[in-house]
Amino acid sequence: MPDPAPLLTIGQVAERTGLSVHTLRFYEREGVLVDPVRRDPGGRRLYSDNDVDWLTVCVILRASGMPLPAIRRYTELVREGDGNEEERLTLLRAHRERLTAQIGDLTRCLDLVDHKVGVYEDVLAGRAAPCRPASAG
């Protein structure tokens, strides 16, 4: 039987995930880890590869704008195990809708910026006269 995967220190997990040690402790306090963090005999935190994988999910959800209470709820549902997939799906679909709306808003913003970049590139290339409406600059 192969040796179990080695456990990682909080510093090693910080290095792997790009999270600070402070943030890892914060996530632990906030209850967004599926499994309790193990401790060595000296009380130092030890993480498994599964913990790192879950933290990666949490980081992506957080970066996408999911509020911490929603991540906590999703974690609770995963921790409970099978039987609550409908609620997990509802939570993730709601977040997907928010992301889709945000992407639409950002696309409209990008379109405006692209237009303005084109205008100024044309002005600087001498292909067009500068546009100077008082409020549209």
Side-chain angles (χ1 to χ4, degrees):
M1 181 173 217
D3 289 334
L7 295 175
L8 306 165
T9 66
I10 196 167
Q12 291 169 318
V13 173
E15 198 172 298
R16 279 194 187 186
T17 62
L19 297 170
S20 69
V21 168
H22 174 77
T23 300
L24 290 168
R25 290 181 184 132
F26 173 77
Y27 277 178
E28 181 183 352
R29 279 192 312 273
E30 289 298 312
V32 297
L33 296 172
V34 173
D35 299 313
V37 176
R38 287 164 280 234
R39 304 282 180 146
D40 70 10
R44 290 177 293 272
R45 290 168 174 82
L46 296 172
Y47 297 84
S48 69
D49 285 336
N50 288 340
D51 294 327
V52 174
D53 291 344
W54 183 255
L55 281 164
T56 301
V57 169
C58 291
V59 166
I60 292 169
L61 291 174
R62 191 70 188 112
S64 70
M66 182 179 273
L68 201 52
I71 295 172
R72 187 180 310 113
R73 180 63 187 143
Y74 182 62
T75 302
E76 290 167 359
L77 292 168
V78 170
R79 194 180 296 132
E80 290 171 9
D82 294 343
N84 58 28
E85 290 81 4
E86 187 73 35
E87 190 174 348
R88 292 186 214 184
L89 181 59
T90 299
L91 191 148
L92 290 172
R93 280 182 173 161
H95 184 60
R96 181 176 64 186
E97 286 177 25
R98 286 188 299 273
L99 282 174
T100 301
Q102 185 178 7
I103 289 168
D105 292 344
L106 288 172
T107 299
R108 285 186 291 282
C109 294
L110 181 59
D111 289 345
L112 173 76
V113 171
D114 282 344
H115 172 74
K116 289 298 191 179
V117 165
V119 167
Y120 289 114
E121 286 174 344
D122 288 347
V123 167
L124 292 173
R127 293 186 298 249
C131 268
R132 297 186 198 195
S135 63

